[in-house]
Amino acid sequence: MIHSFLLIGQSNMAGRGIRETVPPIINESIMMLRNGRWQVMAEPIHNDRPTAGIGLASSFAAAWYLDHADDRIGLVPCADGGTSLDDWQVGGALFDHAVAQAKLAQRSSKLSGILWHQGENDSSAGLAAVYCEKFDRIINELRGQLTEPDIPLVVGALGDFLPDGVYGSYFKDYRLVNEALLSYAQSHDNCNFVTAQCLTANDDQLHFDAPSLRKLGLRYYEALKHHTDIVEPLLNEDVLLENIYDRL
C-alpha cells in the first residue's frame, strides 16, 4: 500500500535548502510522483525552480516510515515558488494542476493527507485579514474534487527571520499570517498547525535552511500523527533525525 501526500504552497514547501548541508535521506519505501508514475524519492522532490533543494517533505516521509515500515509513502510535489494565495484560487492553473496530480496519485495510492506551506506573499495586514476566507474556499473545493472531504491537512507557520532580510520590509506583518493559519487550524476539523519557532534561514533570510526544513518536516508528521497543533519545537527532533540518518 502506498499512502500519498499532496504537497502544495510556495517556495518553502518546494524547498530551497542547500543539499550539501544535511545528510541525504535514502529510503526505497519513500516514493515521489513523476509523470504520473511512482519512483524512489530523490531530493530535490520539487523542480519548480532551478534553485529547488531540500524541502520539508522528505523528513516528514522518513518520520512517517518509522511508524509504518510495512507500507510505502508517496509524495506528490505541486508547490510553486513565489506564489500568492490568489495564485492558488479555485480554477487557476496551480489549483487545477494539483487536482490533476492528486487524481493521478489516487489511481495507485491512498491519498492520506495534504501539506501546505504558504503565506510569505500574503504578509500584509490587508491580505492576512482575508487569508482564512480565501484559504477555506481552496481547501473545501480541493477536498470536494478529490472526493476526500475529511482528508487531514497540516499547515505551517512562516519563519520568524522574515523581517530581518534584504526583503524584510515586505514581511512586517508576517505574524498576522501565522495567526490566521493557527486560527484556521483551530476552527476547522481535520486541520492542524505547525510552528516555525527556533528555525533558521539561508543567507537570504527568506527560505528555511536545510537543517531547519528537516526539523519542520518532523513537526508536520507529529501534527498529522497526533491530530494536534504543534506550537513549540519537539523535544526529540535531533534524536529522530539521527534515527532517520542511521538507516544509511
Side-chain angles (χ1 to χ4, degrees):
M1 167 68 76
I2 297 177
H3 294 265
S4 58
F5 292 84
L6 178 63
L7 316 176
I8 49 177
Q10 59 180 115
S11 56
N12 275 315
M13 174 57 75
R16 299 293 186 260
I18 298 171
R19 279 175 277 179
E20 294 76 17
T21 59
V22 291
I25 292 177
I26 301 172
N27 186 327
E28 292 184 356
S29 292
I30 302 176
M31 317 298 288
M32 61 183 184
L33 196 69
R34 285 284 188 270
N35 299 321
R37 297 169 63 87
W38 297 112
Q39 62 177 259
V40 175
M41 182 198 77
E43 298 176 287
I45 299 168
H46 284 79
N47 58 7
D48 64 311
R49 298 289 187 279
T51 52
I54 299 297
L56 66 90
S58 45
S59 55
F60 166 88
W64 182 95
Y65 177 77
L66 291 177
D67 288 335
H68 304 86
D70 293 331
D71 290 320
R72 292 185 293 170
I73 180 171
L75 303 172
V76 185
C78 292
D80 191 57
T83 53
S84 69
L85 201 55
D86 285 340
D87 291 325
W88 284 93
Q89 66 184 317
V90 175
L94 292 175
F95 180 90
D96 288 349
H97 176 255
V99 169
Q101 292 299 302
K103 286 185 175 180
L104 282 173
Q106 285 177 313
R107 294 183 183 182
S108 54
S109 72
K110 167 61 179 174
L111 192 63
S112 299
I114 300 171
L115 310 186
W116 172 266
H117 196 287
Q118 189 279 338
E120 291 89 349
N121 275 43
D122 291 82
S123 293
S124 70
L127 293 173
V130 294
Y131 195 99
C132 287
E133 179 183 350
K134 290 181 178 180
F135 188 53
D136 195 43
R137 287 198 295 269
I138 294 167
I139 295 302
N140 285 339
E141 185 66 20
L142 187 60
R143 283 171 164 160
Q145 291 198 26
L146 298 176
T147 62
E148 290 283 0
D150 300 318
I151 192 169
L153 166 69
V154 183
V155 301
L158 308 185
D160 292 324
F161 47 74
L162 284 171
D164 300 330
V166 176
Y167 306 105
S169 60
Y170 294 100
F171 304 117
K172 58 185 179 64
D173 293 319
Y174 83 99
R175 292 185 187 276
L176 298 178
V177 177
N178 285 349
E179 290 170 7
L181 288 163
L182 178 59
S183 175
Y184 185 88
Q186 292 178 337
S187 59
H188 290 76
D189 293 335
N190 302 307
C191 180
N192 291 110
F193 170 88
V194 169
T195 184
Q197 285 182 20
C198 302
L199 300 183
T200 52
N202 292 331
D203 290 342
D204 59 10
Q205 295 298 303
L206 176 60
H207 298 108
F208 292 106
D209 58 28
S212 291
L213 286 162
R214 292 287 197 237
K215 293 179 179 180
L216 189 57
L218 299 180
R219 297 176 191 181
Y220 267 71
Y221 176 64
E222 191 77 3
L224 179 89
K225 177 181 178 179
H226 295 290
H227 310 288
T228 189
D229 298 326
I230 304 300
V231 296
E232 55 186 34
L234 306 179
L235 295 177
N236 59 341
E237 289 174 346
D238 291 332
V239 173
L240 282 171
L241 286 174
E242 286 178 9
N243 290 340
I244 289 168
Y245 297 142
D246 280 348
R247 290 194 73 259
L248 296 177

